[in-house]
Amino acid sequence: EVQLVESGGGSVQPGGSLKLSCAASGFAFSSHCMAWFRQVPGEEREGVAAIRYDMITRYADSVKGRFSISKDTENNTLYLQMNNLKPEDTGMYYCAGDHYCREGFLRLMSAFVEAWGQGTPVTVSS
């Protein structure tokens, strides 16, 4: 059974940092493409960052230069380092996976996600 369990969310002031983690189990993590999405109530879920099986990464324009996605294949864990956080980064952050590594997934389109975690909340406020 595929399981994705996020942690590391919290409340920070603008300009602060957080590091999210996603513990993966039940599938071949090293060969999967993984991503982070976020969602604010009343809005569509949007892609934040993706990482391919060969560690190639892609980012949404809104987070380029501030966020960094990485994978630890020995510990089956996905990370999202978030720096210089802004109020507009507030939302529920979800870990996502796609073992086909489809182009749509790498372009951060939620319709191509095969598996979702339960989410971890991030609040950026002064």
Side-chain angles (χ1 to χ4, degrees):
E1 179 188 1
V2 173
Q3 283 197 326
L4 300 171
V5 181
E6 301 94 332
S7 61
S11 296
V12 294
Q13 293 187 339
S17 298
L18 280 176
K19 186 172 185 177
L20 306 183
S21 300
C22 172
S25 62
F27 63 99
F29 180 73
S30 61
S31 61
H32 265 59
C33 286
M34 301 296 297
W36 289 96
F37 286 73
R38 65 187 180 191
Q39 188 170 26
V40 175
E43 298 185 11
E44 290 190 3
R45 198 166 292 189
E46 66 167 347
V48 174
I51 186 165
R52 215 166 63 174
Y53 50 85
D54 56 0
M55 304 303 186
I56 298 295
T57 57
R58 297 194 188 180
Y59 296 91
D61 288 343
S62 59
V63 306
K64 280 181 182 176
R66 300 188 299 120
F67 289 14
S68 177
I69 187 172
S70 60
K71 287 173 68 176
D72 179 348
T73 54
E74 287 206 14
N75 293 302
N76 286 0
T77 304
L78 179 72
Y79 298 103
L80 184 68
Q81 177 67 48
M82 306 186 294
N83 299 325
N84 191 21
L85 282 159
K86 303 177 180 181
E88 52 264 43
D89 295 318
T90 293
M92 187 69 79
Y93 281 70
Y94 297 91
C95 176
D98 175 28
H99 85 278
Y100 296 108
C101 287
R102 292 167 288 184
E103 180 61 22
F105 181 86
L106 296 172
R107 292 172 66 185
L108 301 172
M109 300 170 70
S110 62
F112 291 85
V113 173
E114 284 189 294
W116 293 99
Q118 84 291 346
T120 186
V122 171
T123 302
V124 185
S125 174
S126 55

